[in-house]
Amino acid sequence: MDPCSFVRILIGNLALKFPVSSSTTKPSPSSCYCKIKFNNFSDQLASLPQTHQENTVAACFNLDKTQFDAILEKNKSQPSKGITCLKIYVYSGSDEISCVGNKFLGRVSVPLDLRGAESRASVIHNGWVCVGENKNKNKKGSAELYFTVRVEPDPRFVFQFGGEPECSPQVFQVQGSVKQAVFTCKFGFRNCDRNLVSRPSMTEENTSMTCIPSFGVEKDQSSKERKGWSITIHDLSGSPVAMASMVTPFVPSPGSDRVSRSNPGAWLILRPGNCTWKPWGRLEAWREPGNSDALGYRFDLLHDNIAAATTVVSSSLSSKRGGKFTLDTTSSLASTPVHSPHSSWDFGSGSWSTPGSRSGSGSGSDFQFCTWPSFMYRGFVMSSTVEGVGKVSKPEVEIGVQHVTCTEDAAAYVALSAALDLSMDACKLFSQKLRKELRQQRQLCVV
């Protein structure tokens, strides 16, 4: 199947300057910032330097096909109200979290004609604009804002779990109203503290040992630690193409019933290679201190023959309400933007220069087995929905087409999504009981 259509609106190259001849007191450029608003999306904040730097991104809005079509229809059916606009509000002040107490300097409205944006990139604006409240009467007394607005297509593969990851569901590729099964999941337990760091063969999968129930009076181990969970992603031929394995148990910190940031649980996300599993990434999760509702997480990208890992994202989400896990290195607002020193991203052309990469414009049925590329990620990489604890969770995963060149690529992101979803339960307070699918009867193992 073909990927789903997405459109990105990128705002960057920001700068603010004040007229030299102005007799009014001018705020320091370092204490100015702007609030960028678009439709019902969350506002985005960005600082305003004195001189603009090319190829910088301050804010980004992502539109799926439904949102994109709704804007086009509104512009067509209600022309009297004008074309949908992007609005930039400029403030002076040092507080970028709240506008309370700060001085409003002015705003800019940018009409967005999105026709054709699904198929071609275009620059909507690039240059200086007066933002002062008297900009229509006396431009000499107005501050000026430099910015670039670019609209470009950003097709993505969309996958949806058919059920909760611990229930070993199918995973469907979604294209509009059409769903096609592409993967199956197998949730299980790795027994006897066997650890994937030793890289067992791909055919091993718990078959090297025999487990029998223990009828002792020992208390359920899940009351002390949560360990050994794994989920394997298979293609439709039954071949394993990715795995998420809990390699560091989720245990409560001393004197509490929660997993702490100082001792997080961890998963390895693995990909197949040379008849064994090779670590691709590491996901850590914990309960944020001082906030019982926040699940903290960090994802590190692992490199072949390199001991140090690269932190791609470090953030948190609500364990009650859930949220969205996102890997996106486009915006400077990302938690920890990462760019390869051997790559470049051109804001003007919207192109990525990636040694050894391949254009990802093919369909889902064109997935092929291949070796893992060695380049770093740029732009939107992936996102995954996460439901709160106690709610039925069927994660939906979006992956940028440019980051999927083979079956294992897509499967690795699906496995990462499953690991984060399962971490919501793994970080559940130890005073609360896990659902039955996540509890393993105490067993004795014989190798």
Side-chain angles (χ1 to χ4, degrees):
M1 291 196 302
D2 293 329
C4 295
S5 297
F6 280 77
V7 171
R8 313 196 84 188
I9 302 172
L10 303 168
I11 303 93
N13 302 342
L14 296 176
L16 183 69
K17 69 179 180 180
F18 297 93
V20 177
S21 60
S22 175
S23 59
T24 59
T25 302
K26 299 186 290 291
S28 168
S30 63
S31 64
C32 294
Y33 67 97
C34 65
K35 178 192 294 183
I36 304 172
K37 300 174 68 71
F38 178 68
N39 276 16
N40 296 323
F41 289 85
S42 299
D43 297 346
Q44 299 191 33
L45 301 173
S47 59
L48 294 172
Q50 190 171 10
T51 57
H52 75 276
Q53 296 181 347
E54 293 292 338
N55 304 332
T56 59
V57 180
C60 177
F61 298 96
N62 300 285
L63 284 68
D64 61 26
K65 184 170 178 59
T66 300
Q67 296 166 326
F68 177 78
D69 288 344
I71 292 174
L72 291 183
E73 180 60 29
K74 180 180 179 181
N75 292 343
K76 180 180 179 181
S77 62
Q78 302 177 359
S80 60
K81 294 186 178 181
I83 296 178
T84 301
C85 291
L86 175 82
K87 297 180 180 180
I88 305 177
Y89 296 81
V90 180
Y91 298 88
S92 65
S94 58
D95 186 1
E96 293 189 10
I97 304 301
S98 171
C99 298
V100 177
N102 295 332
K103 182 180 179 180
F104 175 66
L105 300 180
R107 77 171 186 179
V108 175
S109 293
V110 184
L112 296 179
D113 186 353
L114 299 180
R115 290 174 297 180
E118 287 181 298
S119 58
R120 68 179 186 275
S122 62
V123 175
I124 304 297
H125 174 85
N126 184 42
W128 293 96
V129 174
C130 294
V131 298
E133 295 176 338
N134 60 343
K135 61 182 178 181
N136 294 325
K137 299 179 181 179
N138 180 14
K139 292 184 179 181
K140 292 183 179 180
S142 300
E144 290 185 85
L145 176 69
Y146 188 100
F147 63 97
T148 302
V149 178
R150 178 181 175 82
V151 178
E152 65 182 27
D154 185 35
R156 303 174 186 180
F157 291 112
V158 179
F159 301 92
Q160 188 175 64
F161 285 71
E164 297 172 312
E166 61 268 28
C167 296
S168 301
Q170 283 187 310
V171 177
F172 301 90
Q173 186 183 348
V174 180
Q175 217 289 331
S177 60
V178 180
K179 292 184 178 181
Q180 175 181 318
V182 290
F183 298 119
T184 58
C185 297
K186 181 182 178 183
F187 176 79
F189 299 87
R190 297 193 64 81
N191 299 303
C192 302
D193 294 324
R194 291 181 61 86
N195 194 313
L196 277 177
V197 172
S198 60
R199 299 188 184 183
S201 68
M202 293 179 61
T203 57
E204 185 175 336
E205 286 199 80
N206 294 341
T207 59
S208 62
M209 64 192 82
T210 301
C211 297
I212 58 175
S214 171
F215 298 99
V217 295
E218 290 184 80
K219 190 176 181 181
D220 186 351
Q221 191 70 12
S222 64
S223 64
K224 301 178 182 178
E225 60 185 359
R226 292 154 188 170
K227 65 177 182 178
W229 300 357
S230 69
I231 189 161
T232 307
I233 311 299
H234 301 262
D235 63 17
L236 294 185
S237 70
S239 300
V241 285
M243 177 187 281
S245 181
M246 187 185 290
V247 292
T248 302
F250 286 70
V251 298
S253 60
S256 76
D257 65 345
R258 68 183 61 213
V259 180
S260 68
R261 183 168 191 155
S262 60
N263 187 29
W267 300 78
L268 274 185
I269 314 301
L270 303 110
R271 296 166 53 96
N274 298 324
C275 297
T276 188
W277 289 109
K278 292 188 175 181
W280 166 68
R282 179 182 176 89
L283 175 70
E284 295 183 339
W286 60 86
R287 282 287 189 124
E288 289 285 13
N291 187 348
S292 60
D293 182 36
L295 176 84
Y297 59 84
R298 183 179 70 192
F299 177 67
D300 294 336
L301 189 67
L302 306 179
H303 311 281
D304 289 338
N305 303 319
I306 299 178
T310 301
T311 298
V312 182
V313 63
S314 179
S315 189
S316 64
L317 50 81
S318 171
S319 61
K320 293 181 180 179
R321 299 185 304 274
K324 181 173 283 191
F325 168 82
T326 302
L327 300 182
D328 190 342
T329 62
T330 298
S331 174
S332 60
L333 300 179
S335 299
T336 51
V338 177
H339 295 277
S340 168
H342 303 296
S343 66
S344 63
W345 185 69
D346 182 357
F347 187 94
S349 66
S351 63
W352 288 264
S353 173
T354 307
S357 68
R358 179 172 67 90
S359 173
S361 58
S363 65
S365 60
D366 293 332
F367 290 164
Q368 297 177 354
F369 291 96
C370 62
T371 58
W372 177 241
S374 59
F375 54 83
M376 286 295 299
Y377 299 109
R378 287 157 302 282
F380 171 83
V381 181
M382 72 160 287
S383 68
S384 176
T385 58
V386 183
E387 294 293 339
V389 171
K391 299 178 182 178
V392 176
S393 182
K394 298 180 181 180
E396 185 172 284
V397 188
E398 297 172 7
I399 310 171
V401 166
Q402 68 269 25
H403 301 299
V404 178
T405 59
C406 56
T407 303
E408 293 91 333
D409 289 347
Y413 295 117
V414 170
L416 173 58
S417 174
L420 185 72
D421 190 88
L422 291 168
S423 294
M424 296 287 283
D425 289 288
C427 287
K428 191 175 182 179
L429 298 179
F430 279 78
S431 57
Q432 300 173 343
K433 194 174 184 180
L434 290 176
R435 62 185 72 184
K436 63 180 181 180
E437 292 86 358
L438 296 169
R439 298 197 304 269
Q440 183 184 26
Q441 187 176 18
R442 184 67 174 170
Q443 295 177 326
L444 297 176
C445 299
V446 179
V447 179

